[in-house]
Amino acid sequence: AGRAPGPPDGGWGWVVVFGAFVSIGFAYAFPKGLAIFFKEIQDFFGTSYSEIAWVSSIMLATTYGAGPISSILVNRYGSRPVVMFGGLLCGVGMISAAFCTSILQLYICVGFITGFGLALNLQPSVIIIGKYFLKRRPIANGLAMAGSPVMLCTLAPLNQFLFDNFGWRGSFLILGAILLNCCVAGALFRPIGAGTAPVKTQVSKEEKDALKEKVIEDGPMEKKLEEEEGKDCFEKVNQYLDFSLFKHRGFLIYLIGNVLMFLGFFAPIVFLAPYAKHTGIDEYSAAFLLSILAIVDMVARPATGMVANSRWVRPRIQYFFSFAIAFNGACHLLCPLASSYTGLIVYSSFFGLAFGMVCAMLFETLMDLVGAARFTSAVGLVTIAECCTILLGPPIGGILIDTFGDYKYMFIKCGAVMVLAGTFLFIMNYYNYRMLAKEEKKRKIKEEDPKSVRTENEGKINWNKDSTQDGPELEPLREKGEGAKKEMNGT
């Protein structure tokens, strides 16, 4: 019932991590797991690679693009009801997709409805971990993000089994029922501490009423009150999405690097199973490649969380994140050399390692830059910016495959973009760290210099004197005020 003095770093927090593990797992793994059905849906509707790629692309873009809406709902209602409602939307979207008769209907049901449900699962799960953990936050984030590979490892063979036995329509019905488990995960997100927003609103209203009663006849004061009301409206918007983050140097560097990175982040996973089938590998072996990727990813995420939490890496975690992105890109550049099934297994293993490293630090690095207090707004603003490149990534890969009739150009494009993003982040973070060190040095010199402190104090004293001295122009106002005071007292 009382307020929590700070993040408990344990206790019920580990149950929350398990709930986040489930909901984050579905949010990230589900769009990738659907790639198993793409070849058959493509033949059923007679569409091209780029057209079928829009299904996953719209789902991922909606999941990221609805980030600000999710952040606003979390600030208003808390994580628990938002995740439970998101799980319900996911189930409804997939069940309705089972009855679709065109590719456009699939875009709406799977892409928009299920994608929006996954967005309501992803954001609150990441946000609530930051409220429950501080010292152990990188480990908690790593464990929660491990839900994605575990789900992918399970979904890839499960989807193939469901397709063989029930077809893609029956599989979508069953998957819709499975997604309802997100409601159970959301129920574990117990709110921490007591809310303070309603109290602040009540106080501000009372103050306004008191001011209106006091100066009901004063015209200029009414204008001031209107201005204050307008300011409060802006503050309400800014409370949900803190736009002052766009003045934050570290946040802008992170945003630009991530927007570039996501242009090549998801396309290789979406096309890995179809690429294996294209080279003549059977369906189950192609699905097993996703399982290998997921198993390595499963180990990589918690391990990366522990490494990132160490005293050597955590102070410079941004460099580690940049290296992980560049390593991911290097794997894609080398993928066209893997022509045999053994080569694809090796590629999937390294890709799983690199993918796990990036995902484990994706939100931890953002929290490291902006702090836990501004993290909710930061996640919302980042995801809406990223959704454009997430939306375009897989379809551009599909267009390259349709144009050249070969998958290698798609992998080369993704690899080059990610290496560029990693290099950009490394250089700009080096610049940011240098600038922060200079600013800190200047601040310390200013604090230690007695002259600057003295002049600052003198300035304050002079300002106070100026403000307290009544000039001749203030005499009529003072007399008027005294007269009003006498009238109010009834004398």
Side-chain angles (χ1 to χ4, degrees), residues 338-462:
S339 53
S340 64
Y341 186 63
T342 309
L344 284 173
I345 288 172
V346 173
Y347 164 71
S348 299
S349 303
F350 278 100
F351 182 23
L353 175 64
F355 192 83
M357 288 170 69
V358 173
C359 289
M361 292 185 291
L362 194 61
F363 294 111
E364 177 56 36
T365 47
L366 179 59
M367 203 178 287
D368 176 69
L369 285 167
V370 301
R374 303 170 82 186
F375 181 66
T376 308
S377 294
V379 170
L381 293 170
V382 164
T383 49
I384 197 169
E386 289 168 352
C387 77
C388 301
T389 48
I390 290 168
L391 181 69
L392 294 173
I396 289 171
I399 289 166
L400 289 172
I401 295 163
D402 289 333
T403 306
F404 297 102
D406 199 343
Y407 283 79
K408 70 177 181 181
Y409 297 103
M410 185 273 299
F411 284 106
I412 289 168
K413 183 270 294 183
C414 293
V417 164
M418 292 199 73
V419 168
L420 180 64
T423 309
F424 169 81
L425 281 172
F426 190 89
I427 294 166
M428 293 308 294
N429 280 315
Y430 174 74
Y431 166 74
N432 188 36
Y433 280 133
R434 287 286 300 273
M435 291 300 292
L436 287 171
K438 281 182 182 177
E439 286 162 9
E440 182 67 18
K441 197 175 178 182
K442 280 181 184 177
R443 190 181 65 79
K444 281 182 179 177
I445 290 167
K446 198 174 181 182
E447 283 177 359
E448 287 169 6
D449 189 8
K451 286 182 181 179
S452 62
V453 175
R454 199 184 305 129
T455 52
E456 206 173 301
N457 290 336
E458 282 171 7
K460 281 181 184 176
I461 290 160
N462 291 335

Side-chain angles (χ1 to χ4, degrees), residues 79-98:
S79 292
R80 180 186 274 173
V82 174
V83 174
M84 292 174 78
F85 179 65
L88 188 64
L89 271 183
C90 290
V92 169
M94 286 307 295
I95 290 165
S96 57

Side-chain angles (χ1 to χ4, degrees), residues 179-482:
L179 279 172
L180 291 173
N181 284 291
C182 293
C183 299
V184 181
L188 300 174
F189 292 169
R190 189 167 68 192
I192 183 167
T196 56
V199 180
K200 284 181 184 175
T201 312
Q202 194 178 353
V203 170
S204 63
K205 280 180 182 175
E206 285 173 4
E207 284 174 359
K208 281 177 188 174
D209 291 339
L211 278 167
K212 281 179 183 176
E213 284 173 12
K214 280 182 185 178
V215 288
I216 197 152
E217 293 177 357
D218 202 349
M221 283 301 290
E222 281 180 3
K223 284 180 185 177
K224 282 182 185 178
L225 280 168
E226 283 173 13
E227 283 173 14
E228 280 178 10
E229 280 175 9
K231 191 179 175 184
D232 287 347
C233 183
F234 177 75
E235 280 174 0
K236 280 178 185 175
V237 175
N238 209 37
Q239 179 188 345
Y240 297 126
L241 291 173
D242 187 3
F243 291 105
S244 66
L245 282 164
F246 287 109
K247 295 178 182 177
H248 192 291
R249 187 172 56 241
F251 174 77
L252 286 174
I253 292 166
Y254 177 92
L255 182 66
I256 295 164
N258 272 35
V259 165
L260 186 61
M261 176 194 77
F262 275 109
L263 199 59
F265 192 59
F266 286 114
I269 294 182
V270 171
F271 288 109
L272 180 57
Y275 174 50
K277 290 177 187 176
H278 178 75
T279 55
I281 295 162
D282 64 277
E283 288 86 352
Y284 276 96
S285 299
F288 186 63
L289 287 173
L290 286 173
S291 296
I292 292 167
L293 185 150
I295 290 163
V296 177
D297 190 1
M298 198 188 307
V299 178
R301 293 196 192 203
T304 304
M306 284 187 275
V307 171
N309 203 40
S310 64
R311 60 192 177 90
W312 299 284
V313 178
R314 194 167 185 184
R316 293 290 182 269
I317 196 172
Q318 305 296 333
Y319 291 147
F320 193 33
F321 182 55
S322 308
F323 164 75
I325 294 169
F327 177 48
N328 207 318
C331 291
H332 301 326
L333 288 173
L334 296 172
C335 179
L337 300 175
S339 53
S340 64
Y341 186 63
T342 309
L344 284 173
I345 288 172
V346 173
Y347 164 71
S348 299
S349 303
F350 278 100
F351 182 23
L353 175 64
F355 192 83
M357 288 170 69
V358 173
C359 289
M361 292 185 291
L362 194 61
F363 294 111
E364 177 56 36
T365 47
L366 179 59
M367 203 178 287
D368 176 69
L369 285 167
V370 301
R374 303 170 82 186
F375 181 66
T376 308
S377 294
V379 170
L381 293 170
V382 164
T383 49
I384 197 169
E386 289 168 352
C387 77
C388 301
T389 48
I390 290 168
L391 181 69
L392 294 173
I396 289 171
I399 289 166
L400 289 172
I401 295 163
D402 289 333
T403 306
F404 297 102
D406 199 343
Y407 283 79
K408 70 177 181 181
Y409 297 103
M410 185 273 299
F411 284 106
I412 289 168
K413 183 270 294 183
C414 293
V417 164
M418 292 199 73
V419 168
L420 180 64
T423 309
F424 169 81
L425 281 172
F426 190 89
I427 294 166
M428 293 308 294
N429 280 315
Y430 174 74
Y431 166 74
N432 188 36
Y433 280 133
R434 287 286 300 273
M435 291 300 292
L436 287 171
K438 281 182 182 177
E439 286 162 9
E440 182 67 18
K441 197 175 178 182
K442 280 181 184 177
R443 190 181 65 79
K444 281 182 179 177
I445 290 167
K446 198 174 181 182
E447 283 177 359
E448 287 169 6
D449 189 8
K451 286 182 181 179
S452 62
V453 175
R454 199 184 305 129
T455 52
E456 206 173 301
N457 290 336
E458 282 171 7
K460 281 181 184 176
I461 290 160
N462 291 335
W463 185 84
N464 287 332
K465 278 181 183 177
D466 292 341
S467 60
T468 51
Q469 282 174 357
D470 290 337
E473 66 273 14
L474 295 179
E475 287 295 330
L477 285 174
R478 200 190 309 113
E479 286 171 11
K480 200 176 184 180
E482 283 171 5

Side-chain angles (χ1 to χ4, degrees), residues 154-205:
T154 312
L155 282 172
L158 175 67
N159 286 352
Q160 192 63 52
F161 171 78
L162 291 174
F163 175 75
D164 290 342
N165 289 277
F166 304 103
W168 68 269
R169 290 188 188 275
S171 302
F172 279 14
L173 277 171
I174 295 165
L175 288 171
I178 291 169
L179 279 172
L180 291 173
N181 284 291
C182 293
C183 299
V184 181
L188 300 174
F189 292 169
R190 189 167 68 192
I192 183 167
T196 56
V199 180
K200 284 181 184 175
T201 312
Q202 194 178 353
V203 170
S204 63
K205 280 180 182 175

